[in-house]
Amino acid sequence: MADAPRFTTLGCRLNAYETEAMKAMAQEAGLSDAMIVNTCAVTSEAVRKARQEIRRLRRENPQGRIIVTGCAAQTEPETFAAMEEVDLILGNSEKMKPETWSSLGPDFIGETERVMVDDIMSVTETASHLIDGFGTRSRAYVQVQNGCDHRCTFCIIPYGRGNSRSVPAGVVVDQIKRLVQQGYNEVVLTGVDLTSWGADLPAEPRLGDLVMRILRLTDVPRLRISSIDSIEADEALMQAIATEPRLMPHLHLSLQAGDDMILKRMKRRHLRDDAIAFCQEARRLRPDMTFGADIIAGFPTETEAMFYNSLRLVEECDLTWLHVFPYSPRPGTPAARMPQVNGKAIKSRAARLRSAGDLQVARHLAAQQGRDHAVLMENPRMGRTEQFTEVHFTRDLPEGQIVQARITGQDADHLLA
């Protein structure tokens, strides 16, 4: 009996979402004895890990057929075409088409072009695949947007994902209704540049309009937003933050730096004062709001004084959950041609940012002691609060359900209840 296709996902939540859609299409097509690697291109290290994973899969499965797709396959197909381990390369648009998978069939190798990667910039629609959610039974992810119209100097992703495309609101609402009927208690809206949702749709609605529509037309108990660009937060989104308890008080912000000169050299659209003002306003509207943030350490030309501005931003914005990225040059981006920061300095700055983040987490955990929280159970002994804080329990509780919990203690990075 042929083995079912095996998927490996690298990178972001959107990749994980798309892997689930590919699994369904591959199964429908009867694909077998294949290993599919869904790659990430956000850093050179991500591409290196993809190559490493491909070689590992070949060692473990000498006869298996390896298909490479995802952002790295889109941005540098020649890299993977040069690997003798790789049998087929699919672009980001091709991987989301049922006809791609049906054309492969059980015995596709030798019957099709080895590199199937078209111009991603010509894609004008986002495939709105209806999947049953993934991960645990507690949380479902819904893709509402793909691609990016901005050209930050450090980022290769627009060339892997194409220009911004939005899934129509009605399609999103119907999918969320279906997921709620299946028992999901939390839905997360995902995209590459989420706050650009709607710009390509008739009447150009904004993300806040979509959020309000979802909350008005569905019974989803908890709605969560993934990473946003705070400078693009619209009035309806701020209204939802202020008035809608089902919108979770946790926002992950694409900040990247806290120094104005570095932000300009990154071609970001906000300044440090904009970030601080947004966090203050969001917390004024929703006092229990917590923030995560992406910050890059050691961007080209960053001096110690510039870095210190980013370090101070952690406290000034009261950021809790930090994703710290030591800068590494990405070939093909303008930042890769700028004067680079010494590698040891980058490593040191990233460590200092992580230490500042650890201190913020400890403060947040300490502030929760004795409080009651609604916790969504991800497994019988662990769940997350509205602010996405991990909570551990001493006895089994029903997975996927929302339980009321009294916080009794804390560990290094989670609460006890």
Side-chain angles (χ1 to χ4, degrees), residues 51-250:
R51 290 164 58 88
Q52 187 179 49
E53 176 66 12
I54 290 163
R55 294 191 183 103
R56 184 187 70 79
L57 288 171
R58 174 58 73 223
R59 286 194 303 271
E60 292 180 1
N61 304 271
Q63 304 305 315
R65 295 164 294 187
I66 295 179
I67 302 171
V68 179
T69 187
C71 288
Q74 180 70 46
T75 58
E76 45 187 283
E78 67 284 350
T79 295
F80 301 98
M83 297 180 70
E84 60 182 18
E85 297 90 347
V86 175
D87 295 295
L88 179 67
I89 301 156
L90 296 179
N92 263 338
S93 175
E94 288 74 17
K95 76 179 184 184
M96 300 307 288
K97 294 177 180 177
E99 57 266 32
T100 298
W101 298 94
S102 60
S103 72
L104 302 183
D107 303 308
F108 66 89
I109 299 302
E111 298 177 7
T112 188
E113 191 179 349
R114 185 165 177 250
V115 180
M116 300 171 65
V117 180
D118 286 343
D119 177 16
I120 195 72
M121 294 302 176
S122 67
V123 178
T124 58
E125 293 184 355
T126 286
S128 51
H129 291 276
L130 298 182
I131 62 171
D132 293 335
F134 60 92
T136 67
R137 285 293 307 165
S138 59
R139 182 177 293 112
Y141 294 81
V142 173
Q143 180 187 357
V144 303
Q145 183 273 340
N146 203 343
C148 184
D149 291 337
H150 309 297
R151 297 295 181 263
C152 297
T153 59
F154 55 84
C155 187
I156 198 77
I157 296 306
Y159 304 99
R161 289 284 177 181
N163 292 317
S164 182
R165 292 100 67 200
S166 308
V167 178
V171 175
V172 175
V173 167
D174 287 346
Q175 182 172 1
I176 291 175
K177 284 180 178 178
R178 198 168 65 91
L179 292 166
V180 171
Q181 287 173 355
Q182 292 173 4
Y184 285 97
N185 279 315
E186 183 172 298
V187 167
V188 185
L189 303 183
T190 68
V192 174
D193 181 27
L194 203 56
T195 34
S196 70
W197 180 89
D200 57 325
L201 296 176
E204 299 184 7
R206 303 292 300 276
L207 179 63
D209 300 319
L210 176 64
V211 167
M212 295 294 270
R213 185 167 176 178
I214 291 168
L215 292 170
R216 187 174 71 251
L217 298 178
T218 78
D219 296 323
V220 62
R222 289 164 61 137
L223 182 66
R224 200 177 287 279
I225 301 173
S226 61
S227 182
I228 68 166
D229 202 339
S230 58
I231 199 69
E232 288 191 331
D234 60 280
E235 189 175 326
L237 181 59
M238 302 309 286
Q239 181 186 350
I241 288 170
T243 63
E244 295 287 353
R246 289 187 292 151
L247 179 63
M248 293 297 94
H250 167 253

Side-chain angles (χ1 to χ4, degrees), residues 61 81 93 133 138 186 194 314 320 349 370 376 392 397:
N61 304 271
S93 175
S138 59
E186 183 172 298
L194 203 56
V314 175
T320 302
R349 290 172 189 176
L376 179 66
H392 290 203
L397 291 164

Side-chain angles (χ1 to χ4, degrees), residues 377-383 393-400:
M377 300 304 298
E378 294 188 5
N379 63 52
R381 294 290 180 102
M382 189 276 283
F393 294 83
T394 55
R395 63 185 178 89
D396 287 357
L397 291 164
E399 184 177 344

